[in-house]
Amino acid sequence: MSPQSVIDLTGVTKSFGAVKALAGVDLVLRSGECLGLVGHNGAGKSTLMNVLAGTLAPDAGHLRIDDVELDRSYSVFRAHALGVRCVFQELSLCGNLTVAENTRLLHPRLRGWNWRKRAAALIGAMLDDIFPGHGIAVGAAVADLSIAQRQMVEIARAFTVTDESLRFVILDEPTSSLDAATAGQLLAFVRRQEARGVGVILISHMLHEILETADRVVIMRDGRVIASEAASAFDREGLVSAMGGLSHQQECSTKARSPARSSEIRVRAQPSAPGNRRELTARAGEIVGLGGLAAHGQTDLLLSVFRAAQRRSPTVSVSDSVALVAGDRQRDGIFPQWSITQNIGLRSLKAMRRGPLIDPGLEDRFAEDWRARIGIRSADLKDGILSLSGGNQQKALFARALGSDARIILMDDPMRGVDVATKREVYRLIRDEADKGRTFLWYTTEMEELYECDRVYVFRNGAITADLDQDQLTEERILHASF
């Protein structure tokens, strides 16, 4: 291994029952380098990073750090001692603890008199460095933070240093809940860390982030590394093609079409923020986007629509049944003790009844149909939902909503951890369902997804600041209304 190399993985394998998640992976990670790791959902990226972070033991293979062979006793604590940190796609903060107390969990040496004050100063300084103007109180309980704020805290915590060194940080979908401005702050910080000699592995389905930030790109498919090249060797189309995704021409065919406007208004909502003068309306067959910076009232509006479908509301009227695709799948979406089949069929139990009971055959056929339609990668749908990768869990939530009888689908930034090819398939499904008369309210932090909408409402501080038709949509207009 060269003097610049920090970590060397050779022939790493890992299986979960019949599923071979890693099939002999070789990977070298160098200090002061940003390595972009890409591949479709189920390619093995997160499993490989769990091995590197010490949370999973490989079935076979070698892991060396500075030419020191690490045995099966390698663990999270050993990884931390060697300067390896990981920000997982599924956030791991303790909701009942404050931001400062969660920082203490990573740094056991923060003890003794006044340790909370020292932990608060440590995480507060790092949040200020990475995300200027973040607005997060370090004394706040994590459960009270939005998913974007929790993601910011998790990232900042990974970069904090007390006595131990920091040599390598794994960022698994770190911008999946962040708006464009906040994601830009993080990527600028990553480049500053590279200059200080810290290595970063960046896993992201937002390919422009990989191409703009990474020095080298590694592509995985079916548990193997299939390519490793300098980032300058790829453009977006070439990267998608190498991953086995859609070409640019195929992608363009999915762009939103101007709908034939229906006169039937299914949702009418008046945000209650002071000074708000605009009303949101959504008609049958429309895809209505909610834009703006994260945590500025978009999720609150979706939840008010969801609640109004069950009971009367003075500010929201809903004319039909509603289903929700949650962005925070661990807290609001999946039922972790249930199977994949049960999670998919939950919103459609009435259609699966035979007398007073659920017909298991109908439930199985429903889940199998949606596995095929949306491409859920699983050896057996009877397995627990947590056996799926994060992106495949999100596909199950889409299947639950789209397979239901709901005529109004609410989507709360739902593409977290979903790969490029799957996104395009979901866009097609959404457009096809809208053409059949379904209504979609879609909050997203991704500019590309706003272009898939027929109209976009931009939010700031809980108020609607702009109402843009499809032919008015530009990034400049949306950002201007956001600020």
Side-chain angles (χ1 to χ4, degrees), residues 289-424:
L290 310 182
L293 301 179
H296 274 256
Q298 303 94 330
T299 297
D300 292 339
L301 184 133
L302 290 178
L303 293 178
S304 68
V305 172
F306 187 77
R307 288 191 292 266
Q310 278 83 47
R311 57 181 182 271
R312 293 182 62 84
S313 166
T315 59
V316 181
S317 63
V318 181
S319 68
D320 219 316
S321 55
V322 170
L324 172 69
V325 183
D328 189 349
R329 56 179 166 266
Q330 295 301 313
R331 187 169 72 173
D332 303 324
I334 65 168
F335 287 78
Q337 303 302 319
W338 291 9
S339 70
I340 303 165
T341 294
Q342 290 170 319
N343 269 276
I344 291 173
L346 177 64
R347 183 61 177 74
S348 303
L349 294 178
K350 187 183 296 185
M352 300 174 192
R353 286 174 53 186
R354 285 291 179 268
L357 302 177
I358 303 301
D359 185 327
L362 290 177
E363 188 177 35
D364 290 345
R365 286 194 292 275
F366 180 86
E368 286 290 350
D369 177 52
W370 276 98
R371 170 168 51 183
R373 291 181 66 180
I374 207 165
I376 297 172
R377 291 172 61 94
S378 171
D380 188 348
L381 293 182
K382 296 298 185 185
D383 290 342
I385 188 73
L386 294 182
S387 68
L388 298 179
S389 68
N392 279 287
Q393 290 177 29
Q394 200 67 29
K395 292 180 192 178
L397 297 187
F398 273 111
R400 179 196 298 170
L402 295 175
S404 74
D405 61 357
R407 303 302 295 161
I408 302 167
I409 309 294
L410 311 176
M411 304 193 299
D412 186 14
D413 205 11
M415 299 294 188
R416 292 185 64 236
V418 177
D419 63 65
V420 176
T422 300
K423 285 182 180 181
R424 307 311 309 183

